[in-house]
Amino acid sequence: MAEPRVPGEQTSELALPCGESIAYHELDMGLRELECSCGDSHAVVMDMHPLSRFVPEDLVSILDHVVDTTDGLPFGTMHVMGMVLEEYPDQVVSADASDDGTVGFSLVWMAGFSARRLHEIVVELIVELMEHAVSHADNDHAMDDFEAQMLEFDVSEFVEEYRTKRDFEDEYDTPA
């Protein structure tokens, strides 16, 4: 039975896509995946997690330089998670903890799929973003070159290699 609350009252309870729920106070800032009581693993992303969790720092720098965000913030995790949320609205939930001084993050997202699957989705969406940008280039050969390179690019293989090179067990999530 749901507990009555005052209208407008903030709650730290996050209803997961699987139907379970968790209080975001229970999430550690270094957590990247939650083993849920439903039996599945759910990806966990917080606003302070760097975009380099998913792609190399040099690509993050390029994206930040070329992507014009409407909020004036550097292109990063928040923007990518917005893209994921737009593509998978029924599989991603989020909570705004910006008024909660007891946690070390402002935003948290949890997905109905694993951290590895989220990683693949993020890479796929970034490739789509890059493809869109290249399609607007004045260079007629840029799109052909990009498409040729993407034919050789395997998202799953990239994610596997990237995750192997990174130390995802380290709370600081730095390159290995």
Side-chain angles (χ1 to χ4, degrees):
M1 177 183 228
E3 288 186 31
R5 290 193 295 270
V6 176
E9 179 183 24
Q10 291 281 341
T11 178
S12 70
E13 203 68 19
L14 195 57
L16 302 174
C18 66
E20 299 291 327
S21 62
I22 186 171
Y24 65 67
H25 288 102
E26 297 177 27
L27 303 174
D28 180 88
M29 290 191 311
L31 187 65
R32 304 296 189 259
E33 188 166 61
L34 174 74
E35 296 299 324
C36 184
S37 59
C38 75
D40 289 336
S41 297
H42 300 293
V44 178
V45 180
M46 297 173 190
D47 59 327
M48 82 294 195
H49 292 166
L51 185 55
S52 58
R53 167 182 173 178
F54 302 107
V55 294
E57 285 85 357
D58 56 343
L59 180 56
V60 171
S61 178
I62 291 168
L63 289 169
D64 180 38
H65 182 72
V66 299
V67 176
D68 186 20
T69 61
T70 58
D71 56 17
L73 295 173
F75 183 80
T77 301
M78 182 175 64
H79 300 97
V80 167
M81 289 309 298
M83 293 165 59
V84 173
L85 186 58
E86 186 175 314
E87 287 292 317
Y88 298 91
D90 296 337
Q91 288 296 310
V92 180
V93 296
S94 63
D96 180 349
S98 58
D99 290 334
D100 189 337
T102 64
V103 295
F105 52 86
S106 295
L107 294 169
V108 60
W109 298 267
M110 293 188 71
F113 33 78
S114 70
R116 180 184 171 80
R117 178 65 186 129
L118 174 64
H119 195 157
E120 291 173 347
I121 289 168
V122 166
V123 171
E124 290 166 357
L125 291 172
I126 288 175
V127 167
E128 285 180 24
L129 177 68
M130 292 165 49
E131 180 179 31
H132 179 77
V134 170
S135 73
H136 290 285
D138 291 332
N139 184 338
D140 294 335
H141 299 288
M143 190 63 181
D144 293 337
D145 291 344
F146 182 80
E147 287 178 350
Q149 291 175 18
M150 288 301 101
L151 286 175
E152 297 176 20
F153 182 71
D154 183 308
V155 171
S156 293
E157 185 178 314
F158 168 81
V159 168
E160 181 65 32
E161 184 177 323
Y162 196 72
R163 292 174 76 80
T164 299
K165 288 183 179 181
R166 303 220 29 142
D167 184 0
F168 284 99
E169 299 304 316
D170 179 11
E171 68 181 280
Y172 300 106
D173 189 24
T174 57

